[in-house]
Every structure is written in structure tokens, then in C-alpha cells.
Amino acid sequence: MENRYFQKEFETMPVEDIKKLQDEKLVKQVKYVYDNVKYYRDLMDEKGVKPEDIKSTADLHKLPFLKKDDLREAYPYGLLATDLKNCVRIHSTSGTTGKRVVAFYTQHDIDLWEDCCARAITAAGGTSEDVCQVCYGYGLFTGGSGLHGGSHKAGCLTLPMSSGNTDRQIQFMMDLNSTILCCTPSYAAYIGESLKERGYKPEDNKLKAGIFGAEPWTEEMRQDIEKNLGIKAYDIYGLTEISGPGVAFECCEQNGMHINEDHFIAEIIDPNTGEVLPEGTKGELVFTSLDKEAFPLLRYRTRDICVLTRKKCSCGRTFIKMAKPMGRSDDMMIIKGVNVFPSQIEAVLLNKGYAPNYQIVLDRVNNSDTFDVYVEMGEEDFSDSPKYITKKEKELQDAMKAMLGINPKLHLVAPKTIARSEGKAVRVIDNRRRYGITI
Ligand code: DLL
């Protein structure tokens, strides 16, 4: 596919120029935040840092971090940097625990955010010839509005479906010839499954690309979705606090997401010590916004674990790439003392030919963790022979033990018995919270 850019002058900027641009913008953004956000000014004063101390990105490490707890503490207006009358939109995180986090946007912030989403859609091949079906949720969640705005800017015909009502999604997809699908990867997998159930083959739809994100997904899941829908599946990353989807997006190489470095600086830190780690090292991703008016965040700790690398990319983009997040530091389960990420379990399943329909249930019995994994059998290999099921369970359990170092109790269940998700999938049910255990 020919490489297409939405804003070539930025997306392919020489690395030295990106650095220069970041240096200039950072100095301004820090002063802006210090002058307008008391909460962060207090953090800087506490650390003894003044805006004048930040002369370039080399000084970034001097600034204090912001954490999700700060955003909760400052809820709702404590980190707002401009008068409310200058704001035109509010979004909120999809978190289910604790106080929600709200983010504010001026029209300028919305414009930059939509540009980022348009870059993602254009990189996936989106043009004015395309019909872009947006089935991320619309509303407080940023997925729907972000990709919707990006689709407009990229010139696509936009189908604002929002999430859910899979029958209607499929009807419109087929009747209106959707070519680009935007949703969570788990919903894309479900749409693929539903199309198959209705007797459609991958070549029956006009889809060519999917832009999937908002939750961790594996390479194996990508291959599955690509095969079932007959498309190229591109990853997109973002978070409400920093704007929404489009902070980073995949290009035709499909091996990591370019971070929109003209708007955000990314760092990787050691989640325990806060020390900045060199490129290529796994750690927690931290973002600093460079252009935001309403809700600028400096050194915001995402809790997402990943790796950054800056290698020459065949797409021509020069922005640094982030690997697929390997889960969040807070999604990491500690089971019997072992760190386990849901993505590891998913990788084993897909490797062994299972669909990524699974649920992990954690509990505590006699002061010891229990670890159950429920996995759906496919229609093709479904059997109610106990002997067959036990054999298959054992096989899968051994593969998981090899990957994780601990043994889950594996339960193969009948097809379609694990609830599907139209938004972010619920993979883990941690009943240990009942006993006040929050790990
Ligand atoms: O999920 C924004 C978004 C919408 C991104 C649509 C992509 C597509 P939040 O609800 O605030 O925002 O959740 C942000 O989701 O910190 C990651 O842990 C996770 N996440 C987002 N994209 C990816 C991805 C949106 N591509 C949190 N891979 C982030 C893995 C992702 N995790």
C-alpha cells in the first residue's frame, strides 16, 4: 500500500527538528501550567522547580510526576488550566473503581486530537473513497468522538454507529459497504464471529482495514481478526487524560505505534523508582502534553507497561514507536506471588487455536489464591465427552504453566457461554477484593 500521511510535514519531520519543536513547546507548556494550574504549581514548588529550570526536554526529569490519584484528588476542576467558558467538551475515563477522572477540551484541543485520529485513519489507508464505521462508544468515552472527528478530517464518509446492536452493525456494514471498522479488538472479534454465524465469508464484506484499540490485544488476536474479517488490523492507543485515541497509531509496518511526538513527549520509567529508563527498556509509559490549553498534563504516569524504540520505519514516519502495551501495571495480577498479565493467557489460547473468549476468576481460599481460567471451546471442536474435555484442559493447562510459571485451574466451557463485550472486554474477575486484597 502506498504510504499516506495526513500531516506529512510533521509525521515525517527529521528527528532533530522534532526535538527542537519539543524543546520549544515544552518550555511554553511548563510556564503555562505553572501560571494557570495551582495544583501542579504546588507540586513544582514542593520539588523546588521553577519554570525557568526547564530549558529543554533534557530537563524534563526535573518535573514532578502526576498520577491518577492526583487527577482524582483534583476532581473536577483542580487541573483545569483555562476558564471554563473557553472549554467546549468534557470526557471521562471508563474506570469502574474510584472517582472518575474528567478531562476538559477547548476547540483547539479537539482540533489537535482529531488531527491525531485522522493521522491514524489515513495511515490505515482511509481517504474520501472510504466508509468509516465507528462502533466505539459515543458519549463520555473518548473512542467514539475521537475516531468520528478523525474520520471527518480524513474525508471518509462517517457511519456513527456507536457500540452495540450487532445486528444493526452488520446490516449497515453490508448495506452501506463500510471499508474501515473502528472498535475495540474484542468487539471486532465478536463482529467477525457474528458474520460467520450469519453465513458470511470474509470476502463478502467490503472492509479493508480496522482501527482497534482501547484495550490490550495480542499479535495472535490480530491475525485471527484479520483472517475472519479479511482486513488489515491496525492498533491505536490513547487515554482520556491525554486526549483520547490517537496518542499513538500504527502504520503499514504494523509493528508498534508511532507516538504523535509533535504533541506529546513520551518517557519510560521504572514504575518502582520513577527513574527514567533508556530507549528499548520495558517500563511505565509517561506522557507530557505540549499543546494543550484546557487540560495540559506534565509527566502523567499512564501505568501502561511498554517499550519505546526509534528505528527507521519503512512508512517514512519519524515519530518514535511504542510497542503494544503489555498490560497495565495495575492490570497485572499477582497470583500466588507471581506477576501475571491477561495478555499472556490470551497469547497461549490463540497459540493453541482457541478464540480469545476467556475469563479469569481469582479468589482466596484458606489464605491461598485460587486461579481459574474459563475458556470457550470452538463450535468445531466442541464435545461433551468428559474424557476429551479433560484431555484438552490438561493440554491447555500445561501450556499456561509453561508460560506463567504457575498452574491455573482450567475449565473448558461450551461455545457462546462467556459474555461478549461491545466495548472493553472484562477479562478478570478478582473476588479477592472482597477480602480487602487489592493487588
Ligand atoms: O481507551 C482511548 C481509546 C479509545 C484508545 C479508542 C484507543 C481506541 P481510556 O478509556 O481512558 O481511553 O483508557 C485508556 O486503555 O491507559 C491503556 O491501558 C488502554 N489502552 C488504550 N489503547 C490501547 C491499546 C481509551 N491499543 C487505557 N492497547 C490506556 C492496549 C490500550 N491498551
Side-chain angles (χ1 to χ4, degrees):
M1 189 181 77
E2 174 206 344
N3 289 319
R4 293 202 197 90
Y5 313 100
F6 179 68
Q7 290 166 316
K8 187 171 183 197
E9 66 282 22
F10 294 108
E11 293 175 64
T12 62
M13 211 176 200
V15 176
E16 317 76 75
D17 294 357
I18 298 174
K19 295 270 178 222
K20 224 188 291 161
L21 185 70
Q22 287 187 334
D23 287 346
E24 282 163 19
K25 286 188 176 187
L26 178 68
V27 170
K28 281 193 199 138
Q29 183 97 99
V30 171
K31 178 157 180 7
Y32 176 73
V33 170
Y34 191 85
D35 291 345
N36 293 289
V37 183
K38 178 176 180 314
Y39 191 97
Y40 198 77
R41 182 166 60 243
D42 288 348
L43 289 180
M44 282 177 65
D45 287 347
E46 225 170 84
K47 224 180 164 220
V49 193
K50 294 283 168 218
E52 309 77 79
D53 299 328
I54 310 300
K55 298 191 176 67
S56 74
T57 49
D59 298 320
L60 190 59
H61 67 98
K62 297 178 183 164
L63 289 170
F65 290 117
L66 270 175
K67 290 184 175 170
K68 190 126 180 167
D69 282 346
D70 290 306
L71 271 59
R72 290 197 176 117
E73 201 178 313
Y75 174 91
Y77 302 122
L79 286 158
L80 185 63
T82 186
D83 208 286
L84 255 192
K85 70 175 188 299
N86 299 325
C87 298
V88 296
R89 182 98 64 82
I90 292 176
H91 282 284
S92 168
T93 55
S94 49
T96 47
T97 53
K99 232 187 245 169
R100 276 180 171 257
V101 164
V102 283
F104 300 84
Y105 304 70
T106 63
Q107 187 55 50
H108 157 93
D109 297 333
I110 299 267
D111 271 337
L112 297 188
W113 172 29
E114 291 181 351
D115 284 348
C116 290
C117 290
R119 289 178 187 178
I121 293 172
T122 309
T127 66
S128 54
E129 307 283 321
D130 284 289
V131 178
C132 183
Q133 180 162 346
V134 182
C135 19
Y136 285 111
Y138 281 62
L140 284 171
F141 179 52
T142 51
S145 332
L147 270 306
H148 178 101
S151 169
H152 273 220
K153 285 207 171 186
C156 303
L157 174 58
T158 309
L159 202 49
M161 299 295 294
S162 196
S163 58
N165 200 338
T166 308
D167 277 329
R168 194 180 54 188
Q169 300 280 2
I170 289 180
Q171 187 194 341
F172 276 8
M173 174 188 294
M174 302 311 275
D175 292 351
L176 301 174
N177 296 323
S178 303
T179 54
I180 298 179
L181 182 66
C182 303
C183 60
T184 56
S186 48
Y187 195 46
Y190 181 50
I191 291 180
E193 207 176 274
S194 307
L195 280 167
K196 202 162 156 194
E197 253 171 39
R198 287 163 180 71
Y200 290 114
K201 295 196 200 64
E203 57 274 22
D204 294 336
N205 70 63
K206 293 277 187 303
L207 291 175
K208 64 177 188 187
I211 301 178
F212 306 134
E215 62 184 7
W217 54 309
T218 52
E219 272 313 310
E220 290 84 354
M221 188 160 171
R222 186 207 302 266
Q223 283 159 25
D224 247 35
I225 296 174
E226 290 195 333
K227 189 171 77 198
N228 292 338
L229 288 173
I231 60 170
K232 287 247 167 254
Y234 298 90
D235 203 350
I236 183 166
Y237 169 89
L239 59 165
T240 315
E241 298 90 316
I242 296 299
S243 61
V247 172
F249 63 97
E250 248 179 3
C251 63
C252 54
E253 273 203 356
Q254 291 180 291
N255 68 349
M257 294 174 270
H258 289 286
I259 294 172
N260 282 308
E261 285 188 290
D262 51 337
H263 300 309
F264 314 106
I265 301 176
E267 298 169 275
I268 290 285
I269 61 158
D270 179 324
N272 299 317
T273 63
E275 184 203 344
V276 179
L277 299 175
E279 211 181 286
T281 317
K282 186 163 97 177
E284 180 179 347
L285 190 54
V286 174
F287 281 112
T288 295
S289 66
L290 290 172
D291 301 287
K292 285 176 67 183
E293 290 180 344
F295 204 65
L297 296 185
L298 305 179
R299 301 200 86 201
Y300 180 64
R301 292 183 58 160
T302 64
R303 299 196 277 191
D304 290 321
I305 303 291
C306 85
V307 176
L308 298 179
T309 37
R310 194 189 299 277
K311 285 201 195 109
K312 203 169 157 50
C313 184
S314 63
C315 77
R317 287 180 185 78
T318 43
F319 292 155
I320 201 163
K321 272 186 183 171
M322 59 181 272
K324 267 183 177 304
M326 298 150 188
R328 295 168 61 83
S329 52
D330 56 351
D331 260 5
M332 187 180 77
M333 303 169 282
I334 304 181
I335 310 171
K336 298 179 181 170
V338 179
N339 297 353
V340 176
F341 287 98
S343 56
Q344 293 175 297
I345 291 178
E346 189 170 309
V348 173
L349 291 183
L350 289 151
N351 227 320
K352 289 269 165 202
Y354 290 85
N357 297 320
Y358 67 98
Q359 203 150 51
I360 301 160
V361 181
L362 304 174
D363 215 325
R364 189 155 271 210
V365 177
N366 296 332
N367 285 324
S368 175
D369 290 336
T370 59
F371 174 26
D372 291 78
V373 181
Y374 294 83
V375 179
E376 261 184 27
M377 301 179 84
E379 299 278 0
E380 307 78 34
D381 58 7
F382 177 60
S383 155
D384 49 12
S385 143
K387 208 167 151 198
Y388 176 80
I389 294 181
T390 309
K391 182 174 152 257
K392 293 295 248 183
E393 282 177 341
K394 168 95 180 50
E395 254 174 46
L396 206 47
Q397 188 158 312
D398 290 347
M400 292 215 179
K401 169 93 205 280
M403 164 71 113
L404 309 171
I406 53 168
N407 235 337
K409 186 158 177 27
L410 222 272
H411 310 264
L412 284 177
V413 296
K416 309 266 165 345
T417 47
I418 291 178
R420 299 293 189 271
S421 150
E422 291 159 354
K424 300 192 192 219
V426 181
R427 302 292 194 201
V428 183
I429 298 175
D430 194 343
N431 293 322
R432 298 177 301 180
R433 295 207 173 98
R434 278 201 301 247
Y435 313 111
I437 299 161
T438 49
I439 33 183

